[in-house]
Amino acid sequence: YKGYLLFNTDTTLACKMFDEAIQSGFNDPYAYYLRGLCQLYGGQESQALKDFNSAISLKPDFALAFHDRAGLKREKGDVQGALFDYKTATDLNPEFSIAFNNMGSVKIMMGDYQGGIADYTRAIELNPDMFMAYNNRGCARYNMGDYETALEDFNMAALLNGSFSVAKMNKANSLAMKQDYDAALNVLNETINDLTDNALLFVNRGLIRELTGDKPGACSDWQKALDLGYTKAAEYLEECN
């Protein structure tokens, strides 16, 4: 059990100990699960999946293993398999807030926006500080054309995590969709003052400036984005020639 104690302090040594223990016949679900995490962190996804499978076989009520296996399945494009595992994880642990959030994202991928929003809402009920769930729910509402309630969610996400630039960009986009361009630009101006090296912020501000008729300002922002290494900004700059 020394490996368990070491996992958060010396992960490399802990992973080696789990591997040696399993090879010597130590048939423990937590050892397989933690070795699976080691495999995952090391980029060995197929081996990680095998270890999560073994952990679940030994402990069928292992909610965390179902959750992490779902993430692997999602990355591999197996959204049905991921949904099954997330659902199992939440059935086993009805207070598993991050599992509800991630299950919501899988449902969105499958086109089930109402189901996704319901899962994000449950995640927020369980963990009112989960800024990512607010942002995800806002994105779902935004894509459904519900810009007003999307804006409320993005506001909450930004309030809970002031450095979460994605929520601020989404907030600005929602304001732009409501044709409140001045407010959208104010959000981006304030965010850029804090995050001067975020290329996407400049791209977004350029797009909104273009909508207001400020083509020189838009081109300046896209050039800045390109200078920061965002190569796709070159496509926008073609409009400036």
Side-chain angles (χ1 to χ4, degrees):
Y1 291 92
K2 187 177 180 182
Y4 301 142
L5 300 176
L6 286 171
F7 190 75
N8 291 321
T9 56
D10 190 340
T11 305
T12 301
L13 179 57
C15 293
K16 181 180 178 182
M17 294 178 70
F18 291 135
D19 190 49
E20 291 174 351
I22 290 169
Q23 289 187 32
S24 68
F26 186 55
N27 215 25
D28 179 81
Y30 296 98
Y32 277 104
Y33 169 71
L34 292 172
R35 190 178 71 169
L37 290 183
C38 294
Q39 308 278 20
L40 185 60
Y41 298 157
Q44 300 177 59
E45 295 184 353
S46 296
Q47 293 301 317
L49 185 59
K50 290 179 181 178
D51 278 344
F52 292 152
N53 289 341
S54 296
I56 289 167
S57 295
L58 291 166
K59 183 176 168 58
D61 62 348
F62 203 161
L64 195 55
F66 274 105
H67 173 270
D68 290 356
R69 188 175 73 174
L72 270 175
K73 289 181 177 180
R74 175 182 170 182
E75 288 299 315
K76 290 179 175 291
D78 181 8
V79 290
Q80 287 288 355
L83 180 60
F84 175 85
D85 279 353
Y86 283 134
K87 180 66 168 61
T88 304
T90 56
D91 287 343
L92 291 168
N93 181 359
E95 296 186 356
F96 200 167
S97 58
I98 190 65
F100 277 102
N101 175 74
N102 292 336
M103 182 164 65
S105 294
V106 168
K107 288 182 180 178
I108 296 298
M109 291 172 67
M110 300 172 70
D112 181 8
Y113 281 84
Q114 293 297 344
I117 289 171
D119 286 338
Y120 294 141
T121 300
R122 183 57 182 152
I124 291 167
E125 290 170 351
L126 291 167
N127 182 1
D129 294 329
M130 189 182 291
F131 63 90
M132 185 61 74
Y134 277 105
N135 183 73
N136 288 343
R137 189 174 68 179
C139 288
R141 288 171 164 170
Y142 180 96
N143 288 330
M144 294 176 69
D146 186 359
Y147 306 120
E148 191 64 45
T149 52
L151 183 59
E152 293 174 6
D153 279 341
F154 296 140
N155 276 330
M156 277 301 302
L159 181 64
L160 289 168
N161 185 345
S163 63
F164 189 31
S165 61
V166 171
K168 294 178 181 180
M169 282 192 286
N170 289 336
K171 176 181 176 180
N173 289 339
S174 296
L175 288 165
M177 292 303 294
K178 288 162 54 68
Q179 298 187 338
D180 191 348
Y181 300 123
D182 288 342
L185 287 172
N186 285 338
V187 170
L188 290 173
N189 289 340
E190 291 174 4
T191 308
I192 286 172
N193 285 338
D194 295 330
L195 300 168
T196 57
D197 60 350
N198 188 316
L200 287 177
L201 289 172
F202 286 99
V203 170
N204 271 29
R205 190 173 69 177
L207 291 170
I208 294 174
R209 280 178 162 173
E210 183 182 36
L211 289 173
T212 67
D214 181 10
K215 197 61 172 287
C219 294
S220 175
D221 277 343
W222 295 332
Q223 183 60 56
K224 179 63 175 179
L226 184 63
D227 293 343
L228 288 169
Y230 187 70
T231 56
K232 289 186 178 180
E235 298 175 14
Y236 296 112
L237 283 168
E238 291 177 2
E239 302 177 24
C240 301
N241 297 327

